[in-house]
Amino acid sequence: MHAQIILFDGFDPLDVVAPYEVLTAGGTASGGAVTVELVSAEGPREVVSGTGGLALRATAALAPDRPGLIVIPGASGRVGGPADAPADGAGTPGSTGADESIPVLLGRTLNTRLPALLKEAMDHPEVVVAGVCGGSLVLAMAGLLAGRRATTHHMGLDTLDATGVHAVRARVVDDGDLVTGAGVTSGLDLALYLLEREVGPRIAHAVEELFAHERRGTVWRAEGPEPAPF
């Protein structure tokens, strides 16, 4: 399984690094069955996060037709509304302001090639798309999740629901070729679950033990009887 983890200006570092480390360790534990790379919609470049100017390097362009896994993170910035956005909503690659709000940073991705690339990926039968935290909102704002089941950070669940998504209050939601995680640290649990699902539970358990981290909560899937109201 090849995993492409997307970087965009203002990304949340933990949303990226947690899945990257888990999946990389899964590759080691599985003898190379998992490979991981950092990508961007624009191709190889330094991408500045929304946390203290920390930058990571995308080594390739996102390839939406490459079978495997694509992970999109959320953004890191000030909690606030879109009123802070520039009039045209535009930004130049490589620039992000420390005072910018998370909604602005997420919304700015809509003015890049990323939505079109993500649509290609979601239309590909051999690609699984995963969103961490606000990554689900990027997909939803691009109009790619209508009618799907997904989760995001608890502060964004109403927004997710307003886009036509069936928002689920769970740490990890498995909707087939779409797997999403809630708050930022859920990137660890999301990646461990994907290792279990795609490579096997013994590999996932070995990585879980290595990281001294136990996954929390039940992964939500549309299976079994509908629960009655409490």
Side-chain angles (χ1 to χ4, degrees):
M1 176 180 70
H2 184 70
Q4 302 178 78
I5 302 179
I6 299 170
L7 301 178
F8 59 82
D9 298 313
F11 70 90
D12 188 301
L14 188 55
D15 290 2
V16 170
V17 174
Y20 183 90
E21 289 214 36
V22 168
L23 294 171
T24 299
T28 301
S30 63
V34 182
T35 54
V36 193
E37 67 178 335
L38 300 179
V39 301
S40 82
E42 298 78 21
R45 68 181 181 97
E46 294 289 322
V47 187
V48 181
S49 76
T51 303
L54 175 67
L56 295 176
R57 179 164 181 78
T59 57
L62 172 61
D65 57 349
R66 181 168 185 175
L69 173 66
I70 292 175
V71 180
I72 179 163
S76 175
R78 181 168 49 80
V79 177
D84 307 310
D88 61 359
T92 56
S95 65
T96 173
D99 280 341
E100 289 179 305
S101 70
I102 291 174
V104 167
L105 294 168
L106 295 176
R108 187 169 290 158
T109 64
L110 302 182
N111 296 291
T112 71
R113 293 191 62 235
L114 188 55
L117 292 170
L118 289 171
K119 184 180 186 308
E120 284 186 54
M122 296 196 72
D123 288 342
H124 196 292
E126 295 182 82
V127 173
V128 174
V129 174
V132 183
C133 195
S136 304
L137 292 172
V138 171
L139 292 163
M141 290 189 299
L144 301 177
L145 296 190
R148 300 297 299 266
R149 295 175 175 86
T151 191
T152 188
H153 190 282
H154 64 88
M155 294 179 69
L157 285 170
D158 288 344
T159 302
L160 192 64
D161 194 64
T163 65
V165 180
H166 299 296
V168 180
R169 191 174 290 273
R171 190 162 174 83
V172 177
V173 172
D174 182 340
D175 196 40
D177 60 355
L178 171 70
V179 185
T180 53
V184 287
T185 59
S186 69
L188 289 165
D189 293 7
L190 176 75
L192 284 165
Y193 173 68
L194 287 166
L195 276 182
E196 178 184 352
R197 194 182 92 159
E198 303 295 328
V199 186
R202 295 176 66 183
I203 298 298
H205 181 267
V207 176
E208 188 178 78
E209 189 174 37
L210 175 69
F211 284 14
H213 172 79
E214 294 184 0
R215 277 166 40 197
R216 292 197 290 113
T218 300
V219 174
W220 188 95
R221 295 187 294 272
E223 299 175 3
E226 185 79 18
F230 291 106

